[in-house]
């Protein structure tokens, strides 16, 4: 098959959607398909283009058998609602012009966000007479309203919902990464016959670095319990909840730690639109139990994960059905316990309960965060057992298995009479599946 994948993020971006777009393209190319990727210049999560890309309108390159077309896009220094729309619109317009000049594909995989790519996919499908799959990583209009970036009854919101409906109606298939988003699509009257549950996948690490390298490099003692957050530092992550808990933890520590409890160090590693704001809060509150780092290079990242005792994953209240934090998969692949701060009905919390690999705390409950860490830092507590449960749970998301099922879904779309050689993508589990 000839496949064009179309999305704003791609390698060498290491967080967010980029790694998954890259995995899809490289897997399909490895399987012998002709794959082209139409994407933007690297900017995420720092929201800065590299110096060599500034001022460039277009670049063509090849990586791992994938032909990559990079198109100009506007990257704002400060991410605000209107500037975000301009950023995405600039990419949609420039990349659409490029896609229309490429040779017709058997299928187009259009990745949202940006939502406006759905409209561009519809235009391309019409002129190229080819089907497109609209793959939704998060529900952008719903999220913008929930995060206060758009008014629920505003003109812009109505326009975005109209464009969303158009994309769903014209796409040959509509896929997404979590059961919650799939269910929300049903509520939006998307034809159930079109919907695919296409979760993100994970590669299991091998040849792990020796324990202790990260601790030694940053002066963290072996007995210290490390709570790690690594990834995008943006609005939707709700990291203020973790910093609030760290502040209360520090105050309580100054008053005297409970007997036998290990000291706790919070590590926040990443980049994103909220980084400066978070750093200022940490400095203002003089929180010396938080170590803030930039995104780590690959080997340093692996060392950091190996040395962490648990990983924190946070979400803003009310957004649990709109996003699914794919960093959960990597966390579990490294066999780490999970401390999630999310709505109890979120897909994240449901996964934590189902897999029994950690604890979920509702947003706005810092004392519950402290109580959970107190339990985990007591002498004799086996946090590693939680991580091992997580590693067993995440086996269902092994990258090549997930991508193999999606490849077959594409094959059935392009060649309906083709023999199916691998099972179809699974239906999204019911809301209470696995819930104790």
């Amino acid at each position: 098959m000839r496949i064009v994948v179309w999305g704003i993020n791609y390698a060498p971006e290491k967080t967010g959607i980029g790694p998954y777009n890259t995995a899809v393209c490289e897997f399909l190319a490895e399987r012998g398909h002709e794959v082209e990727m139409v994407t933007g210049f690297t900017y995420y999560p720092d929201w800065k283009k590299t110096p060599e890309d500034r001022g460039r309108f277009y670049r063509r390159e090849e990586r791992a058998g994938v032909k990559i077309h990079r198109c100009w896009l506007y990257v704002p220094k400060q991410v605000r609602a209107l500037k975000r729309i301009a950023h995405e619109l600039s990419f949609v317009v420039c990349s659409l012009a490029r896609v229309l000049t490429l040779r017709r594909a058997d299928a187009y995989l259009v990745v949202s966000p940006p939502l406006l790519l759905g409209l561009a996919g519809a235009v391309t499908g019409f002129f190229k007479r080819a089907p497109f799959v609209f793959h939704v990583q998060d529900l952008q209009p719903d999220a913008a309203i929930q995060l206060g970036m758009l008014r629920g009854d505003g003109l812009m919101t109505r326009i975005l919902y109209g464009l969303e409906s158009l994309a769903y109606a014209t796409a040959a298939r509509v896929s997404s990464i979590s059961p919650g988003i799939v269910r929300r699509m049903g509520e939006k009257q998307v034809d159930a016959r079109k919907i695919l549950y296409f979760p993100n996948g994970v590669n299991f690490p091998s040849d792990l670095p020796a324990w202790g390298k990260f601790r030694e490099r940053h002066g963290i003692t072996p007995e210290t319990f490390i709570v790690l957050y690594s990834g995008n530092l943006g609005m939707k992550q709700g990291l203020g909840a973790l910093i609030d808990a760290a502040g209360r933890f520090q105050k309580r520590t100054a008053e005297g730690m409970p007997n036998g409890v290990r000291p706790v160090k919070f590590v926040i590693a990443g980049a994103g639109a909220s980084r400066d704001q978070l750093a200022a809060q940490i400095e203002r509150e003089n929180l010396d139990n938080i170590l803030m780092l930039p995104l780590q290079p690959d080997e340093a990242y692996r060392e950091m994960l190996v040395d962490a005792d648990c990983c924190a994953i946070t979400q803003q209240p009310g957004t649990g059905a709109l996003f699914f934090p794919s960093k959960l998969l990597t966390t579990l692949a490294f066999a780490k316990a999970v401390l999630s701060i999310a709505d109890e009905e979120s897909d994240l919390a449901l996964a934590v309960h189902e897999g029994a690999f950690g604890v979920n705390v509702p947003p706005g409950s810092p004392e519950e965060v402290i109580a959970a860490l107190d339990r985990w830092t007591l002498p004799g507590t086996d946090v590693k057992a939680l991580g091992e449960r997580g590693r067993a749970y995440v086996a269902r998301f092994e990258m090549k298995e997930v991508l193999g099922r999606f490849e077959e879904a594409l094959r059935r779309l392009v060649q309906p009479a083709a023999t199916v050689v691998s099972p179809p993508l699974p239906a999204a589990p019911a809301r209470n599946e696995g819930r104790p």
Side-chain angles (χ1 to χ4, degrees):
M1 292 184 291
R2 172 171 162 76
I3 304 164
V4 170
V5 183
W6 190 358
I8 199 169
N9 302 107
Y10 199 73
E13 294 176 352
K14 295 180 179 180
T15 65
I17 299 172
Y20 299 102
N21 288 344
T22 306
V24 170
C25 289
E26 293 184 358
F27 174 84
L28 292 173
E30 183 181 328
R31 295 277 290 173
H33 303 290
E34 182 184 351
V35 182
E36 295 193 57
M37 177 72 198
V38 179
T39 188
F41 287 97
T42 301
Y43 73 94
Y44 189 83
D46 297 299
W47 287 88
K48 291 179 183 177
K49 291 182 186 177
T50 61
E52 59 269 25
D53 288 339
R54 292 171 191 160
R56 299 194 67 168
F57 186 76
Y58 173 75
R59 185 174 77 230
R60 185 181 181 279
E61 61 194 70
E62 187 163 333
R63 171 183 172 134
V66 179
K67 296 177 182 178
I68 304 166
H69 305 270
R70 295 196 182 270
C71 304
W72 180 83
L73 74 170
Y74 162 66
V75 179
K77 292 181 179 179
Q78 293 184 324
V79 186
R80 301 287 186 266
L82 290 179
K83 289 185 176 182
R84 179 70 178 257
I85 291 171
H87 156 72
E88 295 184 355
L89 184 60
S90 68
F91 173 71
V92 170
V93 171
C94 292
S95 62
L96 174 60
R98 184 59 188 144
V99 167
L100 290 176
T101 65
L102 296 177
R103 186 163 56 87
R104 177 188 178 277
D106 295 311
Y108 296 82
L109 174 59
V110 180
V111 183
S112 173
L115 171 64
L116 293 174
L117 271 190
L119 174 62
V123 171
T124 301
F126 176 79
F127 283 106
K128 296 288 190 179
R129 297 293 185 232
F132 80 96
V133 177
F134 191 47
H135 182 57
V136 180
Q137 286 272 353
D138 63 55
L139 291 168
Q140 205 171 19
D142 304 57
I145 294 168
Q146 193 64 43
L147 295 171
M149 299 175 70
L150 290 175
R151 288 173 43 202
D153 58 350
L155 175 61
M156 181 58 66
T157 301
R158 294 197 297 274
I159 291 172
L160 290 177
Y161 275 131
L163 293 173
E164 181 186 56
S165 296
L166 176 63
Y168 292 157
T170 54
R173 297 290 185 273
V174 180
S175 61
S176 195
I177 63 172
S178 79
I181 298 178
V182 166
R183 280 188 291 273
R184 185 65 70 94
M185 287 174 172
E187 295 168 4
K188 293 173 179 283
Q189 308 304 312
V190 179
D191 186 340
R193 294 170 295 180
K194 287 186 176 185
I195 298 176
L196 294 174
Y197 173 50
F198 176 27
N200 289 331
V202 65
N203 292 311
F204 287 87
S206 59
D207 300 322
L208 292 177
W211 187 90
K213 291 184 177 181
F214 174 81
R215 291 171 182 263
E216 182 178 358
R217 185 160 57 249
H218 295 283
I220 301 174
T221 62
E223 66 271 14
T224 297
F225 189 95
I226 295 179
V227 180
L228 170 65
Y229 175 91
S230 179
N232 182 40
L233 309 181
M235 183 182 297
K236 69 183 182 183
Q237 278 69 37
L239 279 164
L242 193 63
I243 293 175
D244 187 14
R248 293 176 185 238
F249 217 102
Q250 179 166 290
K251 181 180 178 181
R252 196 198 62 174
T253 301
E255 295 169 352
M257 289 285 291
N259 290 335
V261 172
R262 296 166 61 187
V264 175
K265 188 79 169 184
F266 295 82
V267 177
I268 298 176
S274 297
R275 180 182 172 83
D276 291 345
Q277 177 184 343
L278 294 170
Q281 181 183 353
I282 292 168
E283 183 177 0
R284 185 171 59 251
E285 298 180 16
N286 196 27
L287 300 178
D288 56 16
N289 62 346
I290 297 180
L291 172 63
M292 197 166 193
L293 299 171
L295 279 176
Q296 299 295 285
D298 287 344
E299 189 59 21
Y301 172 72
R302 286 157 54 86
E303 292 171 357
M304 181 172 66
L305 268 171
V306 165
D307 281 9
D309 291 283
C310 80
C311 291
I313 303 177
T314 60
Q315 291 183 323
Q316 287 279 18
T319 64
L322 313 178
F323 308 111
F324 185 78
S326 296
K327 65 171 61 64
L328 173 67
L329 306 181
T330 303
T331 296
L332 298 181
F334 274 79
K336 296 299 169 181
V338 171
L339 170 65
S340 60
I341 302 176
D343 298 326
E344 273 295 313
E345 292 304 310
S346 67
D347 283 325
L348 172 58
L350 292 173
V352 172
H353 290 308
E354 179 185 351
F357 47 72
V359 63
N360 182 69
V361 174
S365 307
E367 296 302 330
E368 291 190 41
V369 174
I370 293 172
L373 292 177
D374 279 348
R375 293 193 298 272
W376 287 357
T377 54
L378 284 171
T381 302
D382 189 7
V383 179
K384 290 183 179 179
L386 297 175
E388 291 301 327
R389 288 181 206 155
R391 187 176 171 89
Y393 173 88
V394 82
R396 69 188 73 179
F397 298 107
E398 195 277 328
M399 184 71 80
K400 287 192 175 181
E401 291 293 326
V402 169
L403 294 179
R405 291 192 294 266
F406 184 69
E407 176 197 18
E408 200 54 51
L410 283 179
R411 195 185 302 278
R412 291 196 305 273
L413 174 64
V414 173
Q415 303 166 344
T419 301
V420 177
V421 297
S422 62
L425 287 163
R431 189 64 172 172
N432 62 352
E433 181 180 296
R435 186 73 182 268

